[in-house]
Amino acid sequence: MNQQQKFWLKEARDILLLIVAGFLMTLLYRKATSSLPIYLLVSIYTACMWIFLWKGNNLLTHIIDHYVSWIKEPLKRFIIGIVGTTVYSVGIVYLLVYVFQYFTVLDFGDTSGMVVVALGITFIISLFMHGREFYLNWKQTLLKAEQLQKENIQAQYNNLKSQVNPHFLFNSLNALTNLVYEDQDKAAKFIKQLSEVYRYVLDTRDKEIVPLEEELKFLNAYLFLQHIRFENNLITRIELNGLSTHVAPLSIQMLFENAIKHNVISKEMPLEIKLYADDKYLVVENTLQQKDVSLEDSNGMGLENIISRYSFLSTDKVVVEKTEKFFIVKLPLINTNSIAK
């Protein structure tokens, strides 16, 4: 049995129970048992009232929840819920009274008592419906926050594994080997920058965000190593004009690393990577000269890692754009006072 079949089976069962409740309530009302036809008509009316009040308010609750969130706007949601439920319930009672009086022999007389009873029933139903929706929304929010936190922790762990990898270390040591013979002073600086890279990785592995200034110091250390390796074939430009913000640790460096990893870098085809600010984003843009994917591991883990972490840190999403000539990733600026929970 699929989900849709289960849904309709539950709906049918609920309606049957409401019909039974209507007949039982009518049986307890002695005046309605004066004759069998009257009893049946009143029972049908009562069952209809139960069905429309219960199922109708249930549907109304879901519709209101779709447009107004209990979590984001609880007071507004409460007021709209009460007003909407009251208007709907009074309208349904009068509509049912009109229909049954017009098409049957029933005469309800003064309907004010019915409205009071209906509102009493509606109040009980509303307490259940709106309370249930509030609980489900609250529970869903907690589960989502917990899931995002787990994803953030896993992303940080994957990020650490991604950065401290044999390929990066192998390439760095290979470049260092050549430097030792060519320029010992530059080799010493290379070793210092390499140690700065790994120190930063270890220092930030438990942090959610770091100041942009710290990330840029780390990025410069990383780029020093890459410029030694690729020389003038790698062109990097950082144009931030003193911007002060926070970023997810290693996120900018990882985008530079992805660009270096997945694009051809040669004298004939130098790779240019730019970092700049655009409105509420930090933008990393590189010329697109992609390698043959069969020659390079390209599982997208780095970019997925960043997107996952930023979903936890910001309400704005990471923007990824690919044109004929450029690959662009935009990281939202992080407001430390409104990190997404």
Side-chain angles (χ1 to χ4, degrees), residues 9-41:
L9 180 62
K10 180 181 179 300
E11 290 296 304
R13 183 188 63 193
D14 290 347
I15 291 174
L16 180 61
L17 290 173
L18 292 172
I19 292 173
V20 171
F23 275 75
L24 290 176
M25 284 185 65
T26 306
L27 187 62
L28 296 175
Y29 186 58
R30 293 182 180 180
K31 291 182 180 181
T33 61
S34 58
S35 67
L36 182 59
I38 296 298
Y39 167 72
L40 291 176
L41 283 174

Side-chain angles (χ1 to χ4, degrees), residues 16-282:
L16 180 61
L17 290 173
L18 292 172
I19 292 173
V20 171
F23 275 75
L24 290 176
M25 284 185 65
T26 306
L27 187 62
L28 296 175
Y29 186 58
R30 293 182 180 180
K31 291 182 180 181
T33 61
S34 58
S35 67
L36 182 59
I38 296 298
Y39 167 72
L40 291 176
L41 283 174
V42 175
S43 295
I44 293 171
Y45 164 78
T46 307
C48 287
M49 186 174 70
W50 270 105
I51 291 170
F52 279 98
L53 287 179
W54 188 278
K55 287 298 179 181
N57 276 297
N58 185 33
L59 177 61
L60 180 63
T61 300
H62 285 300
I63 292 173
I64 294 173
D65 280 336
H66 180 74
Y67 293 100
V68 186
S69 170
W70 268 115
I71 305 303
K72 294 181 179 179
E73 301 174 288
L75 181 59
K76 182 179 178 181
R77 171 63 183 81
F78 175 76
I79 294 173
I80 292 177
I82 293 298
V83 173
T85 298
T86 302
V87 172
Y88 169 80
S89 300
V90 172
I92 280 296
V93 170
Y94 277 113
L95 178 62
L96 288 174
V97 168
Y98 172 79
V99 169
F100 274 82
Q101 286 192 149
Y102 187 83
F103 291 101
T104 72
V105 297
L106 293 179
D107 184 5
F108 294 98
D110 184 11
T111 58
S112 59
M114 290 185 181
V115 172
V116 172
V117 172
L119 287 176
I121 295 172
T122 301
F123 178 73
I124 297 172
I125 293 173
S126 297
L127 281 179
F128 175 80
M129 293 295 181
H130 295 299
R132 178 176 176 271
E133 288 299 318
F134 175 78
Y135 171 75
L136 291 176
N137 277 269
W138 173 72
K139 184 178 180 181
Q140 185 179 8
T141 301
L142 289 180
L143 290 174
K144 184 178 180 180
E146 184 179 357
Q147 180 64 28
L148 285 172
Q149 189 168 6
K150 288 180 180 178
E151 289 179 0
N152 181 57
I153 294 171
Q154 184 63 42
Q156 290 178 350
Y157 174 65
N158 288 337
N159 183 60
L160 180 61
K161 292 194 299 181
S162 172
Q163 178 60 39
V164 187
N165 66 73
H167 293 292
F168 174 73
L169 184 60
F170 173 80
N171 291 329
S172 297
L173 293 178
N174 191 45
L176 178 61
T177 301
N178 296 329
L179 273 182
V180 169
Y181 294 103
E182 296 173 3
D183 190 332
Q184 292 186 2
D185 290 337
K186 188 176 286 188
K189 186 175 181 180
F190 186 98
I191 293 171
K192 185 177 186 302
Q193 296 299 323
L194 183 61
S195 68
E196 289 295 327
V197 166
Y198 280 90
R199 180 189 300 171
Y200 182 82
V201 171
L202 295 174
D203 287 346
T204 60
R205 59 182 174 178
D206 295 324
K207 295 181 179 179
E208 292 180 352
I209 57 174
V210 294
L212 175 61
E213 184 181 359
E214 291 185 15
E215 180 79 2
L216 291 181
K217 288 180 180 178
F218 162 66
L219 177 64
N220 287 327
Y222 170 80
L223 291 179
F224 176 83
L225 306 180
Q226 298 303 327
H227 281 298
I228 293 296
R229 179 184 173 193
F230 294 104
E231 298 180 336
N232 295 330
N233 300 329
L234 176 63
I235 304 168
T236 57
R237 304 184 191 280
I238 299 176
E239 303 168 355
L240 294 178
N241 299 322
L243 176 67
S244 178
T245 185
H246 286 74
V247 296
L250 282 72
S251 56
I252 298 177
Q253 176 274 333
M254 186 176 286
L255 293 176
F256 273 73
E257 182 178 12
N258 281 349
I260 293 170
K261 181 179 180 182
H262 299 303
N263 289 278
V264 174
I265 306 177
S266 64
K267 186 175 182 179
E268 295 75 21
M269 298 180 66
L271 178 68
E272 182 174 354
I273 312 173
K274 292 171 58 179
L275 171 64
Y276 59 92
D278 179 21
D279 193 16
K280 57 180 181 179
Y281 292 96
L282 279 173

Side-chain angles (χ1 to χ4, degrees), residues 312-316 333-341:
F312 178 76
L313 297 171
S314 175
T315 53
D316 295 317
L333 300 180
I334 296 175
N335 181 356
T336 56
N337 295 323
S338 58
I339 293 177
K341 298 296 183 186

